[in-house]
Amino acid sequence: MKPRVEDCVFVDFETVTTGDLSLKKMSTFEYLTDPRFDVLCVAIALGRGDVHVYRKGAPSSAGLDQARAVLQKAAGEGQRFVAHNVGFDGLVCKLRCGLNFSEYFDTTGYARFLGIQAGLANTAAFFGKNKLEAPPFTEASLLDPALRQKMMRYCATDVALARFIFSQAVADEQYPAAEFVINSMTAAANLRGLRVDMTEAAAFATELASLRAATLTEFASSFDFDTSDLSKTKKVLAVLEDRWGIKLTSLDKRDPTRADAIAHAPEAQRFLALRQRLQTLRKAVQSASAYAKIPSGRIYNFAHYYGAHTGRFTAGGRDAGKLNIHTLFKTKNSAKIPELGRERTLIVPTAGSSFRAADLSNIEARVVAWVAGEQALLDQFATPGSDVYIWFAQPIFPGVRIVKGGENDHLRQLGKEAVLGLGFGMGFDKFLERVRAAVPGVDAELVKRMFDAYRELFPRIRGLRYALHRHFADAVDQHVTSFAEPCPIYLSREPPAAGPTVVVGLPTGRSLFYRSVLAEDELGLRGPQRAFWYAPSATCHPSVRSRGRGQGQRRFLDGQIRARVTPQVLIENIVQAIARDLMVHQAMQLEQAGLRVAFHAHDEVVVECRACLCVGAAARRHEDSCPWIAAGKVMKTIMSAVPPTLPGLSGLPVACELKEEVRTTYAG
């Protein structure tokens, strides 16, 4: 059941902002704890009641102390805290007023769900509303009657807009009730924050600096090259050509010509490997040094609800002190620097608690097979004890014994790369690069056999990609609705501010919005073809400029930044969205079962439980009453099945891998 407007308190704070005291230059925590910080006014609306503005220096009935009393009463009554950016307004309440709420709703998250840029001005324009012009946020504005009135009206309007946006989310049939829970869980976790072991971070930074110094010495003794030029691509390309006769147009490891060009030049390989190592260590030292300076040893606002177009979460940013839980190094990493895995030890649980983690097993490959109806592959995923990678690879190499971790394990690894990597339509060159990263030196002919076998064995997966893209094209060009299960596709022109929108329904009850769709005619390899583009973060008003152009995106003449919709992009979006919904619904179940979700990264969920105190824990011997063991049983049960809240995913075989180490840090 969705929440009611009547059960919410809507809040917006206006605070002192100057040239160097600004959220554009500081993290929210740094800003709020700066001695110069001050609250100028706050607007509050209880349910559907009038908006009241409380300001600094006003009589007691309209002053900031009264505002705190109103908020304290709302928190005590269990009202939901709603704001356009809970990461700011909620943290003001927590750190400056000492108030926490049991439930939250961040309207910026709903804006991202809608597929639009999440600023309040743009979100208001999407719904045909207007945000007022901001006054100067200074003490002087409170002393000037006209500016004071302007500030109070501005603040009150922002609260009214947040309430309106919330009411739209409640009425939106394409925004499921579960999303209110997930939105609240994310906001609450961001306001609790993640603990960082600052002593460990400082030691980690020192270790990495020493490692980099040693690598610099090795590089300098081996190559006559100015290390200050290592980041200058043109100079690196020049030395490759001058010394080893290797002519490249880029240093991108994804470029297949690079591997071939340096294959028979071991010194050039070593030069590039040491260069990569030095660059990786330089960034790692910077990050670790920043971790060691995180105020209070806790990062707030570390996870971004609906950060990606698919609904997947993103992480990092200024508030997180450069710590991105999605990109923390593992001991085994592409840079081949095992010491970087220590980065994960910096994240620690609440005192008296342990982390317990579980991963959804090969979930994207399972969802691809389920959406396409590849029953043979689904049966293998559903069969306990089956090794789907050997099952796939064995017929390609008849008579060859393949054993996990043993005889011909490299063939199993090839099967794994195919099953996990080819569902979205990856081309052969990219697949070869991916396989060679996992199995160095593998013969290209073996990889080609795997590539071809996947396409032949699973034709429904390939057919699904192109069927979905045809339905998308028909929606744009002919305004034809596809009712094909499990993802109906249709064109919408509402609201007009967002331009033509293709809506893709998901079997989880959610929808994906491809806003401001544009079609172009272009000449492809096989002749003329249609190209389709959409704005992942659409702007809805001329005053709002699109920001953050990503790889492969273009800024068009209308100012929108658009990404291309290909068969590969469309199926990946749908699969990622379904996998995301499965994971967050399972996270909801875990919270309902009494396990607090500390964070999640990709398809891994990490919960906090009471600390394991078993004497034999290091040898994996636990007492029956161990809370860590009990938490694991709950996680295994919940994350090995489709939640009852997602009946549309019936028949999807789900499994999880439960991490068996007692974790006093994220790393173990």
Side-chain angles (χ1 to χ4, degrees), residues 447-490:
V447 180
K448 187 66 166 64
R449 288 171 67 181
M450 284 285 184
F451 181 83
D452 291 341
Y454 186 94
R455 301 180 77 176
E456 292 171 11
L457 190 59
F458 308 128
R460 294 177 68 92
I461 292 178
R462 186 168 187 268
L464 173 69
R465 290 197 297 271
Y466 291 98
L468 287 169
H469 195 256
R470 282 195 304 274
H471 297 327
F472 190 100
D474 289 345
V476 176
D477 290 335
Q478 302 177 39
H479 301 181
V480 172
T481 296
S482 165
F483 296 100
E485 295 293 339
C487 299
I489 298 176
Y490 64 93

mmCIF file of all heavy atoms in Angstrom, residues 447-490:
data_model
loop_
_atom_site.group_PDB
_atom_site.id
_atom_site.type_symbol
_atom_site.label_atom_id
_atom_site.label_comp_id
_atom_site.label_asym_id
_atom_site.label_seq_id
_atom_site.Cartn_x
_atom_site.Cartn_y
_atom_site.Cartn_z
ATOM 1 N N VAL A 447 38.020 -19.325 -28.769
ATOM 2 C CA VAL A 447 37.048 -18.303 -28.388
ATOM 3 C C VAL A 447 35.963 -18.187 -29.454
ATOM 4 O O VAL A 447 34.775 -18.051 -29.138
ATOM 5 C CB VAL A 447 37.749 -16.943 -28.173
ATOM 6 C CG1 VAL A 447 36.737 -15.866 -27.786
ATOM 7 C CG2 VAL A 447 38.826 -17.062 -27.103
ATOM 8 N N LYS A 448 36.365 -18.284 -30.721
ATOM 9 C CA LYS A 448 35.385 -18.182 -31.814
ATOM 10 C C LYS A 448 34.400 -19.349 -31.775
ATOM 11 O O LYS A 448 33.192 -19.175 -32.024
ATOM 12 C CB LYS A 448 36.109 -18.172 -33.164
ATOM 13 C CG LYS A 448 35.204 -17.896 -34.363
ATOM 14 C CD LYS A 448 34.648 -16.475 -34.310
ATOM 15 C CE LYS A 448 34.027 -16.061 -35.645
ATOM 16 N NZ LYS A 448 32.874 -16.817 -36.047
ATOM 17 N N ARG A 449 34.885 -20.522 -31.425
ATOM 18 C CA ARG A 449 33.987 -21.679 -31.325
ATOM 19 C C ARG A 449 32.941 -21.460 -30.231
ATOM 20 O O ARG A 449 31.769 -21.791 -30.383
ATOM 21 C CB ARG A 449 34.798 -22.950 -31.065
ATOM 22 C CG ARG A 449 35.592 -23.414 -32.277
ATOM 23 C CD ARG A 449 36.551 -24.539 -31.933
ATOM 24 N NE ARG A 449 35.845 -25.773 -31.574
ATOM 25 C CZ ARG A 449 36.464 -26.894 -31.216
ATOM 26 N NH1 ARG A 449 37.788 -26.909 -31.148
ATOM 27 N NH2 ARG A 449 35.778 -27.972 -30.918
ATOM 28 N N MET A 450 33.385 -20.908 -29.098
ATOM 29 C CA MET A 450 32.454 -20.596 -28.009
ATOM 30 C C MET A 450 31.432 -19.550 -28.448
ATOM 31 O O MET A 450 30.234 -19.664 -28.173
ATOM 32 C CB MET A 450 33.223 -20.072 -26.789
ATOM 33 C CG MET A 450 33.939 -21.120 -26.002
ATOM 34 S SD MET A 450 32.769 -22.091 -25.002
ATOM 35 C CE MET A 450 33.904 -23.155 -24.111
ATOM 36 N N PHE A 451 31.918 -18.519 -29.112
ATOM 37 C CA PHE A 451 31.064 -17.420 -29.558
ATOM 38 C C PHE A 451 29.972 -17.935 -30.503
ATOM 39 O O PHE A 451 28.784 -17.641 -30.330
ATOM 40 C CB PHE A 451 31.936 -16.373 -30.262
ATOM 41 C CG PHE A 451 31.191 -15.163 -30.749
ATOM 42 C CD1 PHE A 451 30.904 -14.120 -29.883
ATOM 43 C CD2 PHE A 451 30.789 -15.067 -32.075
ATOM 44 C CE1 PHE A 451 30.226 -12.993 -30.333
ATOM 45 C CE2 PHE A 451 30.108 -13.952 -32.528
ATOM 46 C CZ PHE A 451 29.819 -12.908 -31.656
ATOM 47 N N ASP A 452 30.379 -18.709 -31.475
ATOM 48 C CA ASP A 452 29.420 -19.237 -32.449
ATOM 49 C C ASP A 452 28.451 -20.226 -31.801
ATOM 50 O O ASP A 452 27.256 -20.247 -32.127
ATOM 51 C CB ASP A 452 30.163 -19.918 -33.605
ATOM 52 C CG ASP A 452 30.928 -18.929 -34.477
ATOM 53 O OD1 ASP A 452 30.604 -17.722 -34.423
ATOM 54 O OD2 ASP A 452 31.858 -19.356 -35.193
ATOM 55 N N ALA A 453 28.966 -21.042 -30.880
ATOM 56 C CA ALA A 453 28.119 -22.038 -30.226
ATOM 57 C C ALA A 453 27.019 -21.370 -29.417
ATOM 58 O O ALA A 453 25.873 -21.839 -29.386
ATOM 59 C CB ALA A 453 28.959 -22.947 -29.337
ATOM 60 N N TYR A 454 27.323 -20.287 -28.745
ATOM 61 C CA TYR A 454 26.312 -19.581 -27.949
ATOM 62 C C TYR A 454 25.177 -19.102 -28.847
ATOM 63 O O TYR A 454 23.992 -19.261 -28.524
ATOM 64 C CB TYR A 454 26.948 -18.402 -27.211
ATOM 65 C CG TYR A 454 26.000 -17.704 -26.254
ATOM 66 C CD1 TYR A 454 25.952 -18.061 -24.913
ATOM 67 C CD2 TYR A 454 25.135 -16.703 -26.696
ATOM 68 C CE1 TYR A 454 25.075 -17.441 -24.028
ATOM 69 C CE2 TYR A 454 24.257 -16.072 -25.827
ATOM 70 C CZ TYR A 454 24.226 -16.447 -24.496
ATOM 71 O OH TYR A 454 23.346 -15.832 -23.647
ATOM 72 N N ARG A 455 25.514 -18.506 -29.968
ATOM 73 C CA ARG A 455 24.488 -17.979 -30.874
ATOM 74 C C ARG A 455 23.631 -19.102 -31.458
ATOM 75 O O ARG A 455 22.421 -18.940 -31.661
ATOM 76 C CB ARG A 455 25.143 -17.172 -31.989
ATOM 77 C CG ARG A 455 25.972 -16.008 -31.477
ATOM 78 C CD ARG A 455 26.623 -15.216 -32.582
ATOM 79 N NE ARG A 455 25.668 -14.344 -33.252
ATOM 80 C CZ ARG A 455 26.006 -13.490 -34.217
ATOM 81 N NH1 ARG A 455 27.268 -13.413 -34.617
ATOM 82 N NH2 ARG A 455 25.102 -12.736 -34.787
ATOM 83 N N GLU A 456 24.264 -20.240 -31.721
ATOM 84 C CA GLU A 456 23.518 -21.362 -32.307
ATOM 85 C C GLU A 456 22.649 -22.065 -31.267
ATOM 86 O O GLU A 456 21.526 -22.484 -31.566
ATOM 87 C CB GLU A 456 24.501 -22.361 -32.926
ATOM 88 C CG GLU A 456 25.226 -21.826 -34.160
ATOM 89 C CD GLU A 456 26.350 -22.747 -34.608
ATOM 90 O OE1 GLU A 456 26.419 -23.889 -34.077
ATOM 91 O OE2 GLU A 456 27.160 -22.332 -35.460
ATOM 92 N N LEU A 457 23.158 -22.197 -30.052
ATOM 93 C CA LEU A 457 22.444 -22.942 -29.019
ATOM 94 C C LEU A 457 21.286 -22.141 -28.421
ATOM 95 O O LEU A 457 20.275 -22.721 -28.007
ATOM 96 C CB LEU A 457 23.425 -23.346 -27.912
ATOM 97 C CG LEU A 457 22.909 -24.333 -26.852
ATOM 98 C CD1 LEU A 457 22.454 -25.646 -27.514
ATOM 99 C CD2 LEU A 457 23.998 -24.617 -25.822
ATOM 100 N N PHE A 458 21.418 -20.803 -28.413
ATOM 101 C CA PHE A 458 20.395 -19.967 -27.780
ATOM 102 C C PHE A 458 19.841 -18.935 -28.767
ATOM 103 O O PHE A 458 19.995 -17.716 -28.569
ATOM 104 C CB PHE A 458 20.972 -19.261 -26.545
ATOM 105 C CG PHE A 458 21.642 -20.187 -25.572
ATOM 106 C CD1 PHE A 458 22.931 -19.942 -25.133
ATOM 107 C CD2 PHE A 458 20.983 -21.317 -25.090
ATOM 108 C CE1 PHE A 458 23.559 -20.787 -24.241
ATOM 109 C CE2 PHE A 458 21.602 -22.183 -24.197
ATOM 110 C CZ PHE A 458 22.894 -21.916 -23.770
ATOM 111 N N PRO A 459 19.177 -19.378 -29.820
ATOM 112 C CA PRO A 459 18.670 -18.436 -30.833
ATOM 113 C C PRO A 459 17.583 -17.509 -30.295
ATOM 114 O O PRO A 459 17.405 -16.407 -30.807
ATOM 115 C CB PRO A 459 18.121 -19.361 -31.925
ATOM 116 C CG PRO A 459 17.783 -20.635 -31.206
ATOM 117 C CD PRO A 459 18.826 -20.775 -30.147
ATOM 118 N N ARG A 460 16.859 -17.947 -29.262
ATOM 119 C CA ARG A 460 15.782 -17.110 -28.738
ATOM 120 C C ARG A 460 16.328 -15.846 -28.069
ATOM 121 O O ARG A 460 15.660 -14.801 -28.067
ATOM 122 C CB ARG A 460 14.931 -17.904 -27.746
ATOM 123 C CG ARG A 460 14.165 -19.061 -28.377
ATOM 124 C CD ARG A 460 13.397 -19.839 -27.317
ATOM 125 N NE ARG A 460 12.307 -19.043 -26.763
ATOM 126 C CZ ARG A 460 11.071 -19.044 -27.220
ATOM 127 N NH1 ARG A 460 10.749 -19.815 -28.266
ATOM 128 N NH2 ARG A 460 10.148 -18.303 -26.658
ATOM 129 N N ILE A 461 17.529 -15.940 -27.507
ATOM 130 C CA ILE A 461 18.125 -14.758 -26.876
ATOM 131 C C ILE A 461 18.459 -13.710 -27.934
ATOM 132 O O ILE A 461 18.132 -12.527 -27.791
ATOM 133 C CB ILE A 461 19.372 -15.147 -26.060
ATOM 134 C CG1 ILE A 461 18.960 -15.980 -24.839
ATOM 135 C CG2 ILE A 461 20.151 -13.905 -25.624
ATOM 136 C CD1 ILE A 461 20.114 -16.469 -23.989
ATOM 137 N N ARG A 462 19.084 -14.170 -29.021
ATOM 138 C CA ARG A 462 19.407 -13.230 -30.107
ATOM 139 C C ARG A 462 18.129 -12.685 -30.727
ATOM 140 O O ARG A 462 18.010 -11.492 -31.020
ATOM 141 C CB ARG A 462 20.259 -13.928 -31.161
ATOM 142 C CG ARG A 462 20.766 -13.001 -32.262
ATOM 143 C CD ARG A 462 21.831 -13.695 -33.107
ATOM 144 N NE ARG A 462 22.439 -12.787 -34.056
ATOM 145 C CZ ARG A 462 22.023 -12.618 -35.302
ATOM 146 N NH1 ARG A 462 20.979 -13.313 -35.752
ATOM 147 N NH2 ARG A 462 22.634 -11.774 -36.117
ATOM 148 N N GLY A 463 17.131 -13.562 -30.929
ATOM 149 C CA GLY A 463 15.870 -13.122 -31.514
ATOM 150 C C GLY A 463 15.159 -12.101 -30.652
ATOM 151 O O GLY A 463 14.536 -11.155 -31.150
ATOM 152 N N LEU A 464 15.257 -12.265 -29.316
ATOM 153 C CA LEU A 464 14.607 -11.330 -28.402
ATOM 154 C C LEU A 464 15.184 -9.927 -28.544
ATOM 155 O O LEU A 464 14.432 -8.938 -28.548
ATOM 156 C CB LEU A 464 14.792 -11.818 -26.958
ATOM 157 C CG LEU A 464 14.298 -10.856 -25.876
ATOM 158 C CD1 LEU A 464 12.781 -10.762 -25.892
ATOM 159 C CD2 LEU A 464 14.782 -11.312 -24.501
ATOM 160 N N ARG A 465 16.496 -9.832 -28.656
ATOM 161 C CA ARG A 465 17.127 -8.512 -28.781
ATOM 162 C C ARG A 465 16.532 -7.731 -29.946
ATOM 163 O O ARG A 465 16.177 -6.559 -29.814
ATOM 164 C CB ARG A 465 18.641 -8.650 -28.978
ATOM 165 C CG ARG A 465 19.397 -9.130 -27.772
ATOM 166 C CD ARG A 465 20.884 -8.843 -27.912
ATOM 167 N NE ARG A 465 21.500 -9.537 -29.030
ATOM 168 C CZ ARG A 465 22.036 -10.749 -28.963
ATOM 169 N NH1 ARG A 465 22.008 -11.404 -27.815
ATOM 170 N NH2 ARG A 465 22.593 -11.304 -30.015
ATOM 171 N N TYR A 466 16.439 -8.384 -31.083
ATOM 172 C CA TYR A 466 15.977 -7.680 -32.282
ATOM 173 C C TYR A 466 14.465 -7.483 -32.275
ATOM 174 O O TYR A 466 13.960 -6.489 -32.810
ATOM 175 C CB TYR A 466 16.469 -8.419 -33.527
ATOM 176 C CG TYR A 466 17.966 -8.299 -33.668
ATOM 177 C CD1 TYR A 466 18.819 -9.311 -33.230
ATOM 178 C CD2 TYR A 466 18.536 -7.134 -34.169
ATOM 179 C CE1 TYR A 466 20.199 -9.173 -33.307
ATOM 180 C CE2 TYR A 466 19.916 -6.988 -34.255
ATOM 181 C CZ TYR A 466 20.736 -8.002 -33.826
ATOM 182 O OH TYR A 466 22.102 -7.851 -33.896
ATOM 183 N N ALA A 467 13.734 -8.375 -31.645
ATOM 184 C CA ALA A 467 12.280 -8.194 -31.536
ATOM 185 C C ALA A 467 11.963 -6.977 -30.676
ATOM 186 O O ALA A 467 11.099 -6.154 -31.026
ATOM 187 C CB ALA A 467 11.643 -9.447 -30.946
ATOM 188 N N LEU A 468 12.662 -6.834 -29.557
ATOM 189 C CA LEU A 468 12.439 -5.682 -28.686
ATOM 190 C C LEU A 468 12.761 -4.386 -29.413
ATOM 191 O O LEU A 468 12.036 -3.390 -29.302
ATOM 192 C CB LEU A 468 13.296 -5.800 -27.425
ATOM 193 C CG LEU A 468 12.858 -6.848 -26.401
ATOM 194 C CD1 LEU A 468 13.949 -7.048 -25.345
ATOM 195 C CD2 LEU A 468 11.550 -6.444 -25.729
ATOM 196 N N HIS A 469 13.850 -4.394 -30.179
ATOM 197 C CA HIS A 469 14.233 -3.176 -30.904
ATOM 198 C C HIS A 469 13.221 -2.854 -31.996
ATOM 199 O O HIS A 469 12.924 -1.668 -32.244
ATOM 200 C CB HIS A 469 15.640 -3.335 -31.489
ATOM 201 C CG HIS A 469 16.253 -2.038 -31.921
ATOM 202 N ND1 HIS A 469 16.342 -1.658 -33.235
ATOM 203 C CD2 HIS A 469 16.776 -1.008 -31.188
ATOM 204 C CE1 HIS A 469 16.912 -0.470 -33.316
ATOM 205 N NE2 HIS A 469 17.187 -0.046 -32.091
ATOM 206 N N ARG A 470 12.682 -3.871 -32.641
ATOM 207 C CA ARG A 470 11.634 -3.623 -33.658
ATOM 208 C C ARG A 470 10.404 -3.013 -33.011
ATOM 209 O O ARG A 470 9.789 -2.086 -33.557
ATOM 210 C CB ARG A 470 11.255 -4.931 -34.370
ATOM 211 C CG ARG A 470 12.234 -5.385 -35.432
ATOM 212 C CD ARG A 470 11.615 -6.448 -36.328
ATOM 213 N NE ARG A 470 11.126 -7.602 -35.577
ATOM 214 C CZ ARG A 470 11.872 -8.636 -35.233
ATOM 215 N NH1 ARG A 470 13.160 -8.660 -35.561
ATOM 216 N NH2 ARG A 470 11.362 -9.650 -34.562
ATOM 217 N N HIS A 471 10.019 -3.524 -31.844
ATOM 218 C CA HIS A 471 8.858 -2.963 -31.146
ATOM 219 C C HIS A 471 9.125 -1.505 -30.763
ATOM 220 O O HIS A 471 8.220 -0.664 -30.843
ATOM 221 C CB HIS A 471 8.558 -3.784 -29.885
ATOM 222 C CG HIS A 471 8.171 -5.203 -30.157
ATOM 223 N ND1 HIS A 471 7.462 -5.578 -31.276
ATOM 224 C CD2 HIS A 471 8.384 -6.347 -29.440
ATOM 225 C CE1 HIS A 471 7.266 -6.883 -31.245
ATOM 226 N NE2 HIS A 471 7.816 -7.368 -30.148
ATOM 227 N N PHE A 472 10.354 -1.204 -30.351
ATOM 228 C CA PHE A 472 10.726 0.167 -30.004
ATOM 229 C C PHE A 472 10.602 1.056 -31.239
ATOM 230 O O PHE A 472 10.024 2.153 -31.184
ATOM 231 C CB PHE A 472 12.155 0.188 -29.465
ATOM 232 C CG PHE A 472 12.583 1.489 -28.844
ATOM 233 C CD1 PHE A 472 12.579 1.642 -27.468
ATOM 234 C CD2 PHE A 472 13.006 2.561 -29.622
ATOM 235 C CE1 PHE A 472 12.983 2.845 -26.877
ATOM 236 C CE2 PHE A 472 13.395 3.759 -29.057
ATOM 237 C CZ PHE A 472 13.388 3.899 -27.672
ATOM 238 N N ALA A 473 11.157 0.573 -32.375
ATOM 239 C CA ALA A 473 11.101 1.350 -33.624
ATOM 240 C C ALA A 473 9.665 1.560 -34.077
ATOM 241 O O ALA A 473 9.289 2.658 -34.515
ATOM 242 C CB ALA A 473 11.906 0.631 -34.707
ATOM 243 N N ASP A 474 8.843 0.530 -33.968
ATOM 244 C CA ASP A 474 7.436 0.649 -34.381
ATOM 245 C C ASP A 474 6.695 1.662 -33.508
ATOM 246 O O ASP A 474 5.823 2.391 -33.990
ATOM 247 C CB ASP A 474 6.747 -0.710 -34.295
ATOM 248 C CG ASP A 474 7.224 -1.674 -35.372
ATOM 249 O OD1 ASP A 474 7.862 -1.214 -36.337
ATOM 250 O OD2 ASP A 474 6.969 -2.890 -35.234
ATOM 251 N N ALA A 475 7.045 1.705 -32.225
ATOM 252 C CA ALA A 475 6.404 2.668 -31.327
ATOM 253 C C ALA A 475 6.750 4.098 -31.742
ATOM 254 O O ALA A 475 5.891 4.986 -31.737
ATOM 255 C CB ALA A 475 6.834 2.418 -29.892
ATOM 256 N N VAL A 476 8.003 4.326 -32.131
ATOM 257 C CA VAL A 476 8.435 5.671 -32.504
ATOM 258 C C VAL A 476 7.913 6.059 -33.884
ATOM 259 O O VAL A 476 7.336 7.145 -34.063
ATOM 260 C CB VAL A 476 9.976 5.767 -32.482
ATOM 261 C CG1 VAL A 476 10.441 7.135 -32.967
ATOM 262 C CG2 VAL A 476 10.513 5.498 -31.090
ATOM 263 N N ASP A 477 8.116 5.188 -34.867
ATOM 264 C CA ASP A 477 7.813 5.546 -36.255
ATOM 265 C C ASP A 477 6.348 5.392 -36.629
ATOM 266 O O ASP A 477 5.820 6.155 -37.435
ATOM 267 C CB ASP A 477 8.667 4.697 -37.209
ATOM 268 C CG ASP A 477 10.138 5.087 -37.163
ATOM 269 O OD1 ASP A 477 10.429 6.248 -36.807
ATOM 270 O OD2 ASP A 477 10.992 4.237 -37.481
ATOM 271 N N GLN A 478 5.684 4.388 -36.042
ATOM 272 C CA GLN A 478 4.309 4.098 -36.448
ATOM 273 C C GLN A 478 3.298 4.239 -35.312
ATOM 274 O O GLN A 478 2.100 4.045 -35.522
ATOM 275 C CB GLN A 478 4.246 2.671 -37.021
ATOM 276 C CG GLN A 478 5.172 2.452 -38.206
ATOM 277 C CD GLN A 478 5.133 1.004 -38.698
ATOM 278 O OE1 GLN A 478 4.073 0.385 -38.738
ATOM 279 N NE2 GLN A 478 6.295 0.480 -39.061
ATOM 280 N N HIS A 479 3.783 4.571 -34.123
ATOM 281 C CA HIS A 479 2.917 4.727 -32.941
ATOM 282 C C HIS A 479 2.137 3.446 -32.660
ATOM 283 O O HIS A 479 0.991 3.473 -32.220
ATOM 284 C CB HIS A 479 1.964 5.907 -33.116
ATOM 285 C CG HIS A 479 2.658 7.207 -33.346
ATOM 286 N ND1 HIS A 479 1.976 8.388 -33.511
ATOM 287 C CD2 HIS A 479 3.987 7.521 -33.434
ATOM 288 C CE1 HIS A 479 2.848 9.375 -33.703
ATOM 289 N NE2 HIS A 479 4.065 8.863 -33.664
ATOM 290 N N VAL A 480 2.802 2.307 -32.912
ATOM 291 C CA VAL A 480 2.184 1.003 -32.699
ATOM 292 C C VAL A 480 2.571 0.493 -31.319
ATOM 293 O O VAL A 480 3.749 0.527 -30.932
ATOM 294 C CB VAL A 480 2.628 -0.007 -33.776
ATOM 295 C CG1 VAL A 480 2.128 -1.408 -33.442
ATOM 296 C CG2 VAL A 480 2.130 0.432 -35.142
ATOM 297 N N THR A 481 1.601 0.013 -30.562
ATOM 298 C CA THR A 481 1.853 -0.549 -29.240
ATOM 299 C C THR A 481 2.109 -2.045 -29.343
ATOM 300 O O THR A 481 1.376 -2.759 -30.038
ATOM 301 C CB THR A 481 0.659 -0.304 -28.305
ATOM 302 O OG1 THR A 481 0.499 1.104 -28.111
ATOM 303 C CG2 THR A 481 0.874 -0.968 -26.954
ATOM 304 N N SER A 482 3.162 -2.510 -28.683
ATOM 305 C CA SER A 482 3.443 -3.945 -28.606
ATOM 306 C C SER A 482 2.980 -4.449 -27.244
ATOM 307 O O SER A 482 3.367 -3.904 -26.209
ATOM 308 C CB SER A 482 4.937 -4.220 -28.774
ATOM 309 O OG SER A 482 5.249 -5.538 -28.361
ATOM 310 N N PHE A 483 2.158 -5.490 -27.253
ATOM 311 C CA PHE A 483 1.687 -6.083 -26.000
ATOM 312 C C PHE A 483 2.442 -7.364 -25.671
ATOM 313 O O PHE A 483 2.034 -8.131 -24.803
ATOM 314 C CB PHE A 483 0.183 -6.369 -26.089
ATOM 315 C CG PHE A 483 -0.653 -5.133 -26.242
ATOM 316 C CD1 PHE A 483 -1.125 -4.748 -27.493
ATOM 317 C CD2 PHE A 483 -0.941 -4.340 -25.148
ATOM 318 C CE1 PHE A 483 -1.887 -3.597 -27.643
ATOM 319 C CE2 PHE A 483 -1.703 -3.187 -25.289
ATOM 320 C CZ PHE A 483 -2.180 -2.808 -26.542
ATOM 321 N N ALA A 484 3.569 -7.593 -26.384
ATOM 322 C CA ALA A 484 4.325 -8.831 -26.204
ATOM 323 C C ALA A 484 4.849 -8.929 -24.773
ATOM 324 O O ALA A 484 5.413 -7.973 -24.236
ATOM 325 C CB ALA A 484 5.485 -8.895 -27.187
ATOM 326 N N GLU A 485 4.615 -10.082 -24.159
ATOM 327 C CA GLU A 485 5.110 -10.329 -22.810
ATOM 328 C C GLU A 485 6.581 -10.721 -22.857
ATOM 329 O O GLU A 485 7.034 -11.325 -23.831
ATOM 330 C CB GLU A 485 4.285 -11.441 -22.152
ATOM 331 C CG GLU A 485 2.825 -11.074 -21.918
ATOM 332 C CD GLU A 485 2.653 -9.969 -20.886
ATOM 333 O OE1 GLU A 485 3.588 -9.761 -20.077
ATOM 334 O OE2 GLU A 485 1.612 -9.305 -20.906
ATOM 335 N N PRO A 486 7.365 -10.401 -21.833
ATOM 336 C CA PRO A 486 6.914 -9.784 -20.582
ATOM 337 C C PRO A 486 7.108 -8.270 -20.554
ATOM 338 O O PRO A 486 7.004 -7.668 -19.494
ATOM 339 C CB PRO A 486 7.804 -10.464 -19.548
ATOM 340 C CG PRO A 486 9.111 -10.637 -20.264
ATOM 341 C CD PRO A 486 8.756 -10.907 -21.705
ATOM 342 N N CYS A 487 7.399 -7.640 -21.738
ATOM 343 C CA CYS A 487 7.737 -6.217 -21.749
ATOM 344 C C CYS A 487 6.945 -5.470 -22.820
ATOM 345 O O CYS A 487 7.440 -5.280 -23.941
ATOM 346 C CB CYS A 487 9.238 -6.037 -21.981
ATOM 347 S SG CYS A 487 10.283 -6.784 -20.717
ATOM 348 N N PRO A 488 5.737 -5.035 -22.521
ATOM 349 C CA PRO A 488 4.983 -4.224 -23.486
ATOM 350 C C PRO A 488 5.695 -2.899 -23.732
ATOM 351 O O PRO A 488 6.336 -2.345 -22.841
ATOM 352 C CB PRO A 488 3.634 -4.019 -22.803
ATOM 353 C CG PRO A 488 3.897 -4.222 -21.350
ATOM 354 C CD PRO A 488 4.997 -5.241 -21.267
ATOM 355 N N ILE A 489 5.577 -2.380 -24.969
ATOM 356 C CA ILE A 489 6.268 -1.150 -25.363
ATOM 357 C C ILE A 489 5.283 -0.247 -26.098
ATOM 358 O O ILE A 489 4.583 -0.688 -27.017
ATOM 359 C CB ILE A 489 7.474 -1.465 -26.274
ATOM 360 C CG1 ILE A 489 8.499 -2.339 -25.525
ATOM 361 C CG2 ILE A 489 8.139 -0.191 -26.772
ATOM 362 C CD1 ILE A 489 9.676 -2.785 -26.387
ATOM 363 N N TYR A 490 5.232 1.027 -25.697
ATOM 364 C CA TYR A 490 4.327 1.953 -26.376
ATOM 365 C C TYR A 490 4.872 3.371 -26.307
ATOM 366 O O TYR A 490 5.789 3.676 -25.529
ATOM 367 C CB TYR A 490 2.924 1.900 -25.761
ATOM 368 C CG TYR A 490 2.830 2.355 -24.324
ATOM 369 C CD1 TYR A 490 2.531 3.677 -24.001
ATOM 370 C CD2 TYR A 490 3.037 1.458 -23.280
ATOM 371 C CE1 TYR A 490 2.444 4.090 -22.680
ATOM 372 C CE2 TYR A 490 2.950 1.869 -21.949
ATOM 373 C CZ TYR A 490 2.653 3.185 -21.660
ATOM 374 O OH TYR A 490 2.567 3.597 -20.357
#
